[in-house]
Amino acid sequence: MGEKVTEYGVHWNFFFTLAFISIFGSLVPVDEKARRRCDDSAGLDQERQVSTICVFAISSGYEILLHRSGLQRYILEADRTDVFSANREGIMGCVGYTSLFLAGVVSISSGGGGEELTAALAGDGQEGFQRAG
């Protein structure tokens, strides 16, 4: 039983995606060590704003590109004629995965280790993540 070709493509796999995220995620100006430099809070806020804008620009730009340029139709329906088109789902999906990774880095580096993100996911505080009993 083989893997689904429509998930990542013919040759692409999740490990290639992780490598892509590692390489290209490090090129975007998202400061993972921002929490360690709390002594310069003005500079920290400016770095956080630039990081947030970069994440928003990547994810919004990719969505616009998908819907307005025909990229979505290409990813879903094109023939597999060469190496790129044979692996288009995995290659083009890396943009979305990278923006999700960077959004997580920005939310955690904004202070407190991600409590804001956890609270937002839980709805009204931490109840959604507490153990029962």
mmCIF file of all heavy atoms in Angstrom, residues 25-61:
data_model
loop_
_atom_site.group_PDB
_atom_site.id
_atom_site.type_symbol
_atom_site.label_atom_id
_atom_site.label_comp_id
_atom_site.label_asym_id
_atom_site.label_seq_id
_atom_site.Cartn_x
_atom_site.Cartn_y
_atom_site.Cartn_z
ATOM 1 N N GLY A 25 12.559 29.302 7.258
ATOM 2 C CA GLY A 25 12.070 29.937 8.477
ATOM 3 C C GLY A 25 13.135 30.761 9.160
ATOM 4 O O GLY A 25 12.854 31.763 9.819
ATOM 5 N N SER A 26 14.395 30.375 8.978
ATOM 6 C CA SER A 26 15.488 31.130 9.590
ATOM 7 C C SER A 26 15.821 32.394 8.800
ATOM 8 O O SER A 26 16.504 33.279 9.310
ATOM 9 C CB SER A 26 16.730 30.254 9.706
ATOM 10 O OG SER A 26 17.230 29.927 8.425
ATOM 11 N N LEU A 27 15.357 32.515 7.563
ATOM 12 C CA LEU A 27 15.628 33.699 6.749
ATOM 13 C C LEU A 27 14.677 34.854 7.040
ATOM 14 O O LEU A 27 14.986 35.994 6.717
ATOM 15 C CB LEU A 27 15.548 33.337 5.265
ATOM 16 C CG LEU A 27 16.538 32.289 4.775
ATOM 17 C CD1 LEU A 27 16.281 31.987 3.303
ATOM 18 C CD2 LEU A 27 17.967 32.757 4.982
ATOM 19 N N VAL A 28 13.528 34.560 7.624
ATOM 20 C CA VAL A 28 12.545 35.593 7.938
ATOM 21 C C VAL A 28 12.910 36.225 9.275
ATOM 22 O O VAL A 28 13.264 35.515 10.212
ATOM 23 C CB VAL A 28 11.125 34.981 7.976
ATOM 24 C CG1 VAL A 28 10.091 36.020 8.342
ATOM 25 C CG2 VAL A 28 10.799 34.360 6.641
ATOM 26 N N PRO A 29 12.828 37.557 9.379
ATOM 27 C CA PRO A 29 13.266 38.224 10.620
ATOM 28 C C PRO A 29 12.319 38.029 11.794
ATOM 29 O O PRO A 29 11.653 38.947 12.240
ATOM 30 C CB PRO A 29 13.348 39.697 10.208
ATOM 31 C CG PRO A 29 12.382 39.827 9.096
ATOM 32 C CD PRO A 29 12.413 38.520 8.368
ATOM 33 N N VAL A 30 12.251 36.812 12.274
ATOM 34 C CA VAL A 30 11.498 36.500 13.483
ATOM 35 C C VAL A 30 12.514 36.160 14.552
ATOM 36 O O VAL A 30 13.294 35.234 14.403
ATOM 37 C CB VAL A 30 10.537 35.310 13.256
ATOM 38 C CG1 VAL A 30 9.846 34.928 14.537
ATOM 39 C CG2 VAL A 30 9.529 35.662 12.192
ATOM 40 N N ASP A 31 12.530 36.948 15.625
ATOM 41 C CA ASP A 31 13.563 36.800 16.638
ATOM 42 C C ASP A 31 13.115 35.811 17.707
ATOM 43 O O ASP A 31 12.275 36.130 18.541
ATOM 44 C CB ASP A 31 13.886 38.157 17.258
ATOM 45 C CG ASP A 31 15.095 38.101 18.161
ATOM 46 O OD1 ASP A 31 15.794 37.070 18.156
ATOM 47 O OD2 ASP A 31 15.347 39.084 18.849
ATOM 48 N N GLU A 32 13.671 34.608 17.699
ATOM 49 C CA GLU A 32 13.314 33.592 18.681
ATOM 50 C C GLU A 32 13.869 33.911 20.068
ATOM 51 O O GLU A 32 13.391 33.398 21.062
ATOM 52 C CB GLU A 32 13.844 32.231 18.237
ATOM 53 C CG GLU A 32 13.221 31.749 16.958
ATOM 54 C CD GLU A 32 13.827 30.447 16.491
ATOM 55 O OE1 GLU A 32 14.642 29.861 17.217
ATOM 56 O OE2 GLU A 32 13.480 30.014 15.397
ATOM 57 N N LYS A 33 14.892 34.749 20.144
ATOM 58 C CA LYS A 33 15.521 35.045 21.426
ATOM 59 C C LYS A 33 15.047 36.374 21.987
ATOM 60 O O LYS A 33 15.688 36.952 22.851
ATOM 61 C CB LYS A 33 17.035 35.041 21.267
ATOM 62 C CG LYS A 33 17.553 33.687 20.831
ATOM 63 C CD LYS A 33 19.023 33.723 20.572
ATOM 64 C CE LYS A 33 19.448 32.352 20.053
ATOM 65 N NZ LYS A 33 20.738 32.371 19.440
ATOM 66 N N ALA A 34 13.919 36.869 21.498
ATOM 67 C CA ALA A 34 13.434 38.179 21.926
ATOM 68 C C ALA A 34 13.116 38.203 23.413
ATOM 69 O O ALA A 34 13.278 39.229 24.063
ATOM 70 C CB ALA A 34 12.191 38.558 21.120
ATOM 71 N N ARG A 35 12.686 37.082 23.955
ATOM 72 C CA ARG A 35 12.337 37.045 25.377
ATOM 73 C C ARG A 35 13.554 37.250 26.259
ATOM 74 O O ARG A 35 13.439 37.688 27.390
ATOM 75 C CB ARG A 35 11.670 35.716 25.708
ATOM 76 C CG ARG A 35 10.306 35.607 25.109
ATOM 77 C CD ARG A 35 9.703 34.250 25.307
ATOM 78 N NE ARG A 35 9.843 33.791 26.662
ATOM 79 C CZ ARG A 35 9.734 32.534 27.019
ATOM 80 N NH1 ARG A 35 9.506 31.625 26.116
ATOM 81 N NH2 ARG A 35 9.855 32.177 28.268
ATOM 82 N N ARG A 36 14.735 36.911 25.761
ATOM 83 C CA ARG A 36 15.950 37.043 26.571
ATOM 84 C C ARG A 36 16.451 38.477 26.647
ATOM 85 O O ARG A 36 17.296 38.786 27.447
ATOM 86 C CB ARG A 36 17.045 36.152 25.999
ATOM 87 C CG ARG A 36 16.693 34.697 26.108
ATOM 88 C CD ARG A 36 17.821 33.840 25.636
ATOM 89 N NE ARG A 36 17.397 32.455 25.672
ATOM 90 C CZ ARG A 36 17.907 31.514 24.923
ATOM 91 N NH1 ARG A 36 18.877 31.805 24.087
ATOM 92 N NH2 ARG A 36 17.475 30.285 25.000
ATOM 93 N N ARG A 37 15.945 39.341 25.759
ATOM 94 C CA ARG A 37 16.416 40.716 25.735
ATOM 95 C C ARG A 37 15.341 41.669 26.230
ATOM 96 O O ARG A 37 15.016 42.635 25.577
ATOM 97 C CB ARG A 37 16.846 41.096 24.332
ATOM 98 C CG ARG A 37 18.134 40.414 23.949
ATOM 99 C CD ARG A 37 18.578 40.862 22.603
ATOM 100 N NE ARG A 37 17.839 40.052 21.636
ATOM 101 C CZ ARG A 37 17.512 40.458 20.434
ATOM 102 N NH1 ARG A 37 17.821 41.644 20.029
ATOM 103 N NH2 ARG A 37 16.861 39.678 19.624
ATOM 104 N N CYS A 38 14.762 41.400 27.353
ATOM 105 C CA CYS A 38 13.680 42.217 27.879
ATOM 106 C C CYS A 38 14.174 43.557 28.410
ATOM 107 O O CYS A 38 13.372 44.426 28.733
ATOM 108 C CB CYS A 38 12.939 41.474 28.995
ATOM 109 S SG CYS A 38 12.043 40.043 28.370
ATOM 110 N N ASP A 39 15.486 43.768 28.499
ATOM 111 C CA ASP A 39 16.005 45.035 29.001
ATOM 112 C C ASP A 39 15.764 46.166 28.012
ATOM 113 O O ASP A 39 15.700 47.324 28.392
ATOM 114 C CB ASP A 39 17.490 44.918 29.322
ATOM 115 C CG ASP A 39 18.311 44.421 28.148
ATOM 116 O OD1 ASP A 39 17.727 43.814 27.229
ATOM 117 O OD2 ASP A 39 19.531 44.641 28.169
ATOM 118 N N ASP A 40 15.605 45.888 26.741
ATOM 119 C CA ASP A 40 15.342 46.902 25.732
ATOM 120 C C ASP A 40 13.931 46.696 25.195
ATOM 121 O O ASP A 40 13.739 46.198 24.103
ATOM 122 C CB ASP A 40 16.379 46.800 24.611
ATOM 123 C CG ASP A 40 16.211 47.880 23.556
ATOM 124 O OD1 ASP A 40 15.541 48.888 23.849
ATOM 125 O OD2 ASP A 40 16.747 47.697 22.446
ATOM 126 N N SER A 41 12.946 47.090 25.969
ATOM 127 C CA SER A 41 11.559 46.788 25.607
ATOM 128 C C SER A 41 11.103 47.543 24.365
ATOM 129 O O SER A 41 10.286 47.046 23.610
ATOM 130 C CB SER A 41 10.629 47.092 26.778
ATOM 131 O OG SER A 41 10.700 48.472 27.114
ATOM 132 N N ALA A 42 11.620 48.750 24.097
ATOM 133 C CA ALA A 42 11.235 49.477 22.889
ATOM 134 C C ALA A 42 11.716 48.737 21.653
ATOM 135 O O ALA A 42 10.988 48.580 20.678
ATOM 136 C CB ALA A 42 11.796 50.891 22.923
ATOM 137 N N GLY A 43 12.956 48.277 21.663
ATOM 138 C CA GLY A 43 13.487 47.510 20.545
ATOM 139 C C GLY A 43 12.784 46.186 20.378
ATOM 140 O O GLY A 43 12.561 45.716 19.269
ATOM 141 N N LEU A 44 12.410 45.586 21.487
ATOM 142 C CA LEU A 44 11.699 44.311 21.465
ATOM 143 C C LEU A 44 10.334 44.469 20.814
ATOM 144 O O LEU A 44 9.942 43.655 19.982
ATOM 145 C CB LEU A 44 11.551 43.775 22.889
ATOM 146 C CG LEU A 44 10.866 42.440 23.063
ATOM 147 C CD1 LEU A 44 11.702 41.354 22.408
ATOM 148 C CD2 LEU A 44 10.691 42.148 24.532
ATOM 149 N N ASP A 45 9.608 45.533 21.147
ATOM 150 C CA ASP A 45 8.301 45.767 20.542
ATOM 151 C C ASP A 45 8.413 45.997 19.043
ATOM 152 O O ASP A 45 7.597 45.518 18.277
ATOM 153 C CB ASP A 45 7.611 46.960 21.202
ATOM 154 C CG ASP A 45 7.147 46.648 22.610
ATOM 155 O OD1 ASP A 45 6.975 45.452 22.924
ATOM 156 O OD2 ASP A 45 6.951 47.593 23.395
ATOM 157 N N GLN A 46 9.443 46.727 18.624
ATOM 158 C CA GLN A 46 9.636 46.980 17.210
ATOM 159 C C GLN A 46 9.962 45.685 16.469
ATOM 160 O O GLN A 46 9.431 45.434 15.392
ATOM 161 C CB GLN A 46 10.748 47.997 16.998
ATOM 162 C CG GLN A 46 10.892 48.431 15.564
ATOM 163 C CD GLN A 46 11.931 49.520 15.395
ATOM 164 O OE1 GLN A 46 12.679 49.819 16.312
ATOM 165 N NE2 GLN A 46 11.968 50.103 14.220
ATOM 166 N N GLU A 47 10.824 44.838 17.032
ATOM 167 C CA GLU A 47 11.138 43.545 16.415
ATOM 168 C C GLU A 47 9.897 42.676 16.310
ATOM 169 O O GLU A 47 9.680 42.002 15.306
ATOM 170 C CB GLU A 47 12.204 42.807 17.224
ATOM 171 C CG GLU A 47 13.577 43.387 17.105
ATOM 172 C CD GLU A 47 14.579 42.646 17.968
ATOM 173 O OE1 GLU A 47 14.280 41.519 18.413
ATOM 174 O OE2 GLU A 47 15.660 43.183 18.205
ATOM 175 N N ARG A 48 9.076 42.687 17.342
ATOM 176 C CA ARG A 48 7.857 41.890 17.343
ATOM 177 C C ARG A 48 6.897 42.370 16.256
ATOM 178 O O ARG A 48 6.256 41.566 15.582
ATOM 179 C CB ARG A 48 7.199 41.968 18.716
ATOM 180 C CG ARG A 48 6.121 40.944 18.911
ATOM 181 C CD ARG A 48 5.543 40.975 20.316
ATOM 182 N NE ARG A 48 6.577 40.848 21.322
ATOM 183 C CZ ARG A 48 6.703 41.682 22.364
ATOM 184 N NH1 ARG A 48 5.870 42.666 22.529
ATOM 185 N NH2 ARG A 48 7.647 41.495 23.249
ATOM 186 N N GLN A 49 6.807 43.680 16.081
ATOM 187 C CA GLN A 49 5.923 44.220 15.044
ATOM 188 C C GLN A 49 6.406 43.835 13.650
ATOM 189 O O GLN A 49 5.612 43.438 12.807
ATOM 190 C CB GLN A 49 5.826 45.739 15.176
ATOM 191 C CG GLN A 49 5.047 46.189 16.375
ATOM 192 C CD GLN A 49 5.117 47.689 16.588
ATOM 193 O OE1 GLN A 49 5.839 48.389 15.892
ATOM 194 N NE2 GLN A 49 4.361 48.181 17.552
ATOM 195 N N VAL A 50 7.706 43.925 13.416
ATOM 196 C CA VAL A 50 8.266 43.535 12.116
ATOM 197 C C VAL A 50 8.026 42.051 11.874
ATOM 198 O O VAL A 50 7.631 41.642 10.782
ATOM 199 C CB VAL A 50 9.774 43.873 12.041
ATOM 200 C CG1 VAL A 50 10.414 43.241 10.822
ATOM 201 C CG2 VAL A 50 9.987 45.370 12.046
ATOM 202 N N SER A 51 8.225 41.233 12.888
ATOM 203 C CA SER A 51 8.003 39.793 12.767
ATOM 204 C C SER A 51 6.544 39.488 12.453
ATOM 205 O O SER A 51 6.247 38.662 11.583
ATOM 206 C CB SER A 51 8.411 39.088 14.059
ATOM 207 O OG SER A 51 9.765 39.284 14.324
ATOM 208 N N THR A 52 5.638 40.148 13.141
ATOM 209 C CA THR A 52 4.210 39.932 12.920
ATOM 210 C C THR A 52 3.823 40.349 11.511
ATOM 211 O O THR A 52 3.057 39.656 10.841
ATOM 212 C CB THR A 52 3.381 40.702 13.961
ATOM 213 O OG1 THR A 52 3.786 40.287 15.263
ATOM 214 C CG2 THR A 52 1.905 40.456 13.791
ATOM 215 N N ILE A 53 4.353 41.464 11.047
ATOM 216 C CA ILE A 53 4.061 41.928 9.687
ATOM 217 C C ILE A 53 4.593 40.933 8.659
ATOM 218 O O ILE A 53 3.919 40.636 7.672
ATOM 219 C CB ILE A 53 4.643 43.340 9.464
ATOM 220 C CG1 ILE A 53 3.842 44.355 10.272
ATOM 221 C CG2 ILE A 53 4.642 43.710 7.988
ATOM 222 C CD1 ILE A 53 4.464 45.729 10.348
ATOM 223 N N CYS A 54 5.777 40.395 8.885
ATOM 224 C CA CYS A 54 6.338 39.402 7.958
ATOM 225 C C CYS A 54 5.470 38.156 7.886
ATOM 226 O O CYS A 54 5.193 37.644 6.793
ATOM 227 C CB CYS A 54 7.756 39.027 8.375
ATOM 228 S SG CYS A 54 8.977 40.285 8.006
ATOM 229 N N VAL A 55 5.034 37.667 9.026
ATOM 230 C CA VAL A 55 4.182 36.472 9.055
ATOM 231 C C VAL A 55 2.869 36.750 8.342
ATOM 232 O O VAL A 55 2.397 35.950 7.530
ATOM 233 C CB VAL A 55 3.939 36.006 10.511
ATOM 234 C CG1 VAL A 55 2.863 34.953 10.565
ATOM 235 C CG2 VAL A 55 5.221 35.491 11.119
ATOM 236 N N PHE A 56 2.273 37.900 8.632
ATOM 237 C CA PHE A 56 1.005 38.263 7.994
ATOM 238 C C PHE A 56 1.188 38.413 6.485
ATOM 239 O O PHE A 56 0.344 37.965 5.712
ATOM 240 C CB PHE A 56 0.460 39.556 8.607
ATOM 241 C CG PHE A 56 -0.864 39.962 8.059
ATOM 242 C CD1 PHE A 56 -2.020 39.285 8.408
ATOM 243 C CD2 PHE A 56 -0.955 41.023 7.181
ATOM 244 C CE1 PHE A 56 -3.248 39.651 7.890
ATOM 245 C CE2 PHE A 56 -2.174 41.403 6.658
ATOM 246 C CZ PHE A 56 -3.322 40.715 7.008
ATOM 247 N N ALA A 57 2.286 39.021 6.062
ATOM 248 C CA ALA A 57 2.539 39.217 4.632
ATOM 249 C C ALA A 57 2.727 37.886 3.910
ATOM 250 O O ALA A 57 2.207 37.695 2.800
ATOM 251 C CB ALA A 57 3.767 40.103 4.437
ATOM 252 N N ILE A 58 3.452 36.961 4.521
ATOM 253 C CA ILE A 58 3.673 35.656 3.897
ATOM 254 C C ILE A 58 2.363 34.898 3.761
ATOM 255 O O ILE A 58 2.012 34.404 2.682
ATOM 256 C CB ILE A 58 4.694 34.822 4.699
ATOM 257 C CG1 ILE A 58 6.084 35.439 4.588
ATOM 258 C CG2 ILE A 58 4.714 33.374 4.214
ATOM 259 C CD1 ILE A 58 7.086 34.829 5.540
ATOM 260 N N SER A 59 1.603 34.811 4.855
ATOM 261 C CA SER A 59 0.371 34.018 4.804
ATOM 262 C C SER A 59 -0.696 34.674 3.923
ATOM 263 O O SER A 59 -1.356 33.997 3.139
ATOM 264 C CB SER A 59 -0.159 33.762 6.213
ATOM 265 O OG SER A 59 -0.379 34.970 6.884
ATOM 266 N N SER A 60 -0.835 35.988 4.010
ATOM 267 C CA SER A 60 -1.826 36.680 3.170
ATOM 268 C C SER A 60 -1.424 36.654 1.703
ATOM 269 O O SER A 60 -2.266 36.433 0.830
ATOM 270 C CB SER A 60 -1.980 38.130 3.622
ATOM 271 O OG SER A 60 -2.437 38.188 4.937
ATOM 272 N N GLY A 61 -0.149 36.888 1.445
ATOM 273 C CA GLY A 61 0.330 36.852 0.063
ATOM 274 C C GLY A 61 0.133 35.492 -0.576
ATOM 275 O O GLY A 61 -0.260 35.388 -1.749
#
